[in-house]
Amino acid sequence: MTSAPLLPLQQTWPDDLVARYRAAGHWRGETFPAFLRERAARFGQRTAIVDVEQRWTYAQLLERAETIAAGLLALGLQRGDRVVLQIGNVPEFYGVAFGLFLAGLVPVYALPAHRITEISHFVRKSQAVAYVALQQYDNFDYRTLARELQAQERALKHVVILGEDAAEFTPLHSFEPNAALLPTQDPDPQSVAFLQISGGSTGLSKLIPRTHDDYLYSVRASTEICGIGDDSRYLVALPAAHNFPMSSPGALGALYAGGTVVLSRSPLPEKAFELIERERVTDLGLVPPLALLWAQAASQTRRDLSSLRVLQVGGAKLTSEAARRVIAVFQCQLQQVFGMAEGLVNYTRLDDDEDTILHTQGRPISPDDEVLVVDDQGDPVPEGQSGYLLTRGPYTIRGYHNDDAANARSFTADGFYRTGDVVQRTAKGYLTVQGRANDHINRAGEKISAEEVEDQLLAHPQVFDAAVVSIPDDALGERICAFIIPRGEKPRGPALKAWMRTRGLAAFKIPDQVVFVDAFETTAVGKTSRKELRARLRSVFLREQAAATSPSTPTP
Ligand code: AMP
Ligand code: DBH
């Protein structure tokens, strides 16, 4: 059996825009390997990365990355090969990612929460030949996942495990340095450096090819906007593989500026506060539900949080009320961040007035970010009115990898990315997120496709039909609610959730709530789109919920 030809990885902008982005100094021919070597030379003995157990200098980070690069190449991996990486918040996350860059290999960033369903999808879509994972993280044994993966994906040739017992797989700790194996030439700055993962809008996650030059521009500009320097200590409390703590300005921003990355395994305040106190953390990013939890904990803690300078909140909408609560507790600057792994990132600026910080999700990084706010016909709406956000620019992709259908849907003919977000824009170019056009659920910053969860539910023998919607939730921002028409005997809600857990899916995709219904009402024509159906189910549910909780009106 011969394997399918490897699809080229590419991300190309039209020549005139390439010329413009270069002339403006956005694209400077930077690459990840050159970035790491330069920082190691300049900041060698300074601390690059710390967690509860380890402390790596910049020189050690380079050394680790070089060893991992040599080890992977010694296994027979070839330049351009894709490697799915699933490592939690430990220093090796960056050791492996930079190791892949140095070797000319292409990381595909999976989250620790992903399970066999997602990981096989990433392997297949990216045609990955290797999987690198931590042996154990958050009480999950990734060797079990690796075994299933090898059985399912015959094209996957290598599994490398980081930990004390790699079992039948290759131990990462067996890798030895071998400078002779490393490429002598740096990659083309416009080539694809890695594949980031999109939260689902329809169906399974898509792969986002980002180039060296475009991504490092967004990182460099983010360090400037967020005031990151060599004295910054940035805490990664969200999963390290997420685009937000990776690049906005994230761990890469801290390393770019010669600062220190502090890693917390847990996003919860108890553990993180300890690290903030010990490492004198200055900057960090949270999703809104965590920010509220942290605010509550911070008002009672005895830990010293006085080193904090900027607390960023993004990934989902922070209401102005929630923003007020956060500001009231933390004696530092709040910064709203509205970004996407596809590119465009908006920040409120550190010197913005309080009104802007409370009520907007910021404005784009770049003067060359083109932003359109349009109506259903694609025509621009007047300033201050709601419309769909479209964008293109020097660090926003022009297409997903290996997904013609998604590309046809998600990009306009002239290369604008349809973000799916409904926003308003102020006269000064600040955006306020109002909602969205597509049916994903933003559950504490994790974007989940309604369609993907419905497809899973339909595989259950007692499910006749399923519609999955987002419901506003105090703790999560939004929760996943599944409306189910049973087939035959009605399954029990908890049993259905338990069954979902056996499907090898990320746990954040399991419905939080199951509601059984006899039928989905249809329109007069007898046909509705899934989108309309979900919208109607949601509004009926919310109406009934409000009626059930509101005090009964006294009879005269
Ligand atoms: P992804 O494309 O999976 O990286 O997810 C990006 C999406 O997350 C955006 O298109 C928004 O829908 C949502 N998002 C990110 N940050 C914010 C924010 N600050 N406010 C509201 N929505 C956000
Ligand atoms: O939600 C996101 O994807 C996100 C949020 C803030 C992001 O990708 C980013 C900043 O870079």
Side-chain angles (χ1 to χ4, degrees):
M1 195 181 79
T2 52
S3 47
L6 197 61
L7 283 172
L9 282 170
Q10 54 190 17
Q11 193 59 247
T12 47
W13 284 258
D15 290 343
D16 57 327
L17 288 178
V18 172
R20 179 156 127 204
Y21 300 155
R22 286 201 177 129
H26 305 328
W27 293 356
R28 298 183 181 172
E30 290 182 291
T31 67
F32 279 96
F35 156 29
L36 179 60
R37 291 202 176 95
E38 201 278 336
R39 297 309 183 278
R42 187 142 54 109
F43 302 113
Q45 295 318 307
R46 296 182 71 122
T47 304
I49 308 176
V50 313
D51 71 353
V52 277
E53 287 165 7
Q54 306 185 68
R55 188 171 290 273
W56 292 8
T57 64
Y58 276 83
Q60 285 168 324
L61 171 60
L62 176 61
E63 201 182 294
R64 276 310 288 149
E66 283 178 340
T67 301
I68 291 165
L72 290 167
L73 293 171
L75 288 178
L77 273 80
Q78 305 283 323
R79 207 169 178 153
D81 278 346
R82 294 110 212 216
V83 177
V84 174
L85 177 156
Q86 192 174 27
I87 297 178
N89 292 13
V90 295
E92 283 87 354
F93 175 86
Y94 305 99
V96 174
F98 275 106
L100 292 167
F101 293 140
L102 292 182
L105 301 167
V106 181
V108 183
Y109 292 124
L111 296 171
H114 287 135
R115 292 293 177 261
I116 183 70
T117 306
E118 289 96 3
I119 301 294
S120 344
H121 169 70
F122 300 151
V123 166
R124 246 173 289 141
K125 267 283 175 195
S126 70
Q127 300 170 292
V129 295
Y131 169 65
V132 182
L134 203 53
Q135 180 183 320
Q136 172 122 3
Y137 192 74
D138 265 354
N139 296 321
F140 183 76
D141 188 336
Y142 290 85
R143 294 169 302 185
T144 331
L145 197 162
R147 273 176 206 122
E148 271 183 86
L149 191 62
Q150 269 195 325
Q152 278 184 25
E153 305 301 331
R154 309 309 297 187
L156 186 85
K157 296 201 197 84
H158 308 279
V159 172
V160 178
I161 295 287
L162 166 65
E164 272 153 29
D165 178 9
E168 69 268 40
F169 307 113
T170 306
L172 188 88
H173 288 314
S174 68
F175 288 172
E176 307 229 345
N178 185 348
L181 287 179
L182 303 186
T184 45
Q185 254 203 324
D186 277 342
D188 175 353
Q190 266 182 261
S191 65
V192 171
F194 60 86
L195 293 167
Q196 187 52 282
I197 304 295
S198 82
S201 50
T202 49
L204 299 166
S205 290
K206 297 172 288 283
L207 300 180
I208 300 171
R210 300 289 301 258
T211 66
H212 295 266
D213 234 355
D214 95 71
Y215 204 66
L216 288 173
Y217 166 47
S218 78
V219 169
R220 181 178 69 243
S222 295
T223 60
E224 287 160 15
I225 290 168
C226 304
I228 300 290
D230 61 7
D231 56 349
S232 297
R233 290 171 297 277
Y234 177 91
L235 179 75
V236 180
L238 298 171
H242 251 287
N243 199 58
F244 178 17
M246 184 179 294
S247 66
S248 298
L252 291 177
L255 296 174
Y256 196 93
T260 297
V261 178
V262 182
L263 287 164
S264 177
R265 281 183 174 230
S266 161
L268 299 176
E270 304 88 79
K271 289 272 173 251
F273 285 3
E274 210 177 307
L275 274 168
I276 293 175
E277 182 177 73
R278 193 186 86 186
E279 299 298 330
R280 309 293 298 150
V281 166
T282 55
D283 301 78
L284 74 121
L286 294 175
V287 291
L290 279 176
L292 290 176
L293 202 65
W294 280 47
Q296 197 179 14
S299 61
Q300 294 154 5
T301 189
R302 288 216 293 275
R303 297 275 174 198
D304 177 7
L305 307 180
S306 62
S307 56
L308 287 178
R309 199 184 55 94
V310 178
L311 172 61
Q312 303 179 297
V313 183
K317 168 96 176 208
L318 182 72
T319 61
S320 42
E321 219 19 75
R324 267 200 196 91
R325 257 198 267 168
V326 172
I327 288 179
V329 174
F330 288 98
Q331 307 297 316
C332 68
Q333 181 68 272
L334 171 69
Q335 181 176 48
Q336 294 219 37
V337 191
F338 163 39
M340 48 209 77
E342 286 81 354
L344 182 72
V345 180
N346 303 274
Y347 294 106
T348 55
R349 302 309 199 251
L350 300 182
D351 57 358
D352 276 339
D353 56 66
E354 186 168 274
D355 229 34
T356 306
I357 293 170
L358 286 175
H359 297 289
T360 82
Q361 278 65 58
R363 65 179 163 87
I365 288 180
S366 177
D368 281 311
D369 280 320
E370 297 173 71
V371 164
L372 296 175
V373 184
V374 303
D375 61 18
D376 282 323
Q377 281 68 50
D379 298 321
V381 300
E383 192 185 289
Q385 291 198 10
S386 296
Y388 305 113
L389 171 65
L390 311 183
T391 186
R392 66 178 184 189
Y395 60 97
T396 295
I397 58 163
R398 312 281 297 198
Y400 293 107
H401 177 65
N402 191 8
D403 202 334
D404 294 340
N407 287 337
R409 242 187 353 254
S410 303
F411 295 87
T412 67
D414 42 9
F416 280 84
Y417 168 54
R418 298 182 205 275
T419 65
D421 296 311
V422 175
V423 303
Q424 286 175 0
R425 185 170 41 170
T426 68
K428 287 191 184 152
Y430 282 75
L431 303 176
T432 309
V433 180
Q434 304 292 323
R436 59 177 164 263
N438 56 32
D439 282 335
H440 70 242
I441 296 118
N442 191 327
R443 186 183 187 277
E446 297 289 359
K447 289 75 178 181
I448 299 137
S449 145
E451 189 181 293
E452 185 187 354
V453 180
E454 288 166 2
D455 277 349
Q456 289 288 337
L457 287 165
L458 286 174
H460 192 284
Q462 287 156 282
V463 172
F464 174 74
D465 202 355
V468 167
V469 308
S470 66
I471 299 289
D473 185 278
D474 285 344
L476 298 164
E478 293 177 4
R479 65 175 183 268
I480 308 175
C481 179
F483 293 89
I484 308 266
I485 304 177
R487 173 165 37 204
E489 197 194 334
K490 186 168 93 178
R492 287 172 39 80
L496 198 58
K497 287 197 226 171
W499 171 84
M500 275 289 274
R501 266 181 228 112
T502 66
R503 303 281 297 166
L505 275 181
F508 59 74
K509 295 179 183 171
I510 313 284
D512 299 287
Q513 185 173 20
V514 176
V515 177
F516 291 99
V517 292
D518 295 333
F520 295 147
E521 59 164 298
T522 47
T523 57
V525 204
K527 249 191 145 154
T528 51
S529 73
R530 298 302 288 182
K531 200 170 162 48
E532 288 167 41
L533 172 65
R534 291 182 194 121
R536 247 204 337 274
L537 284 167
R538 180 190 299 110
S539 66
V540 171
F541 178 87
L542 292 175
R543 225 176 21 242
E544 287 174 358
Q545 197 181 38
T549 51
S550 68
S552 54
T553 23
T555 37

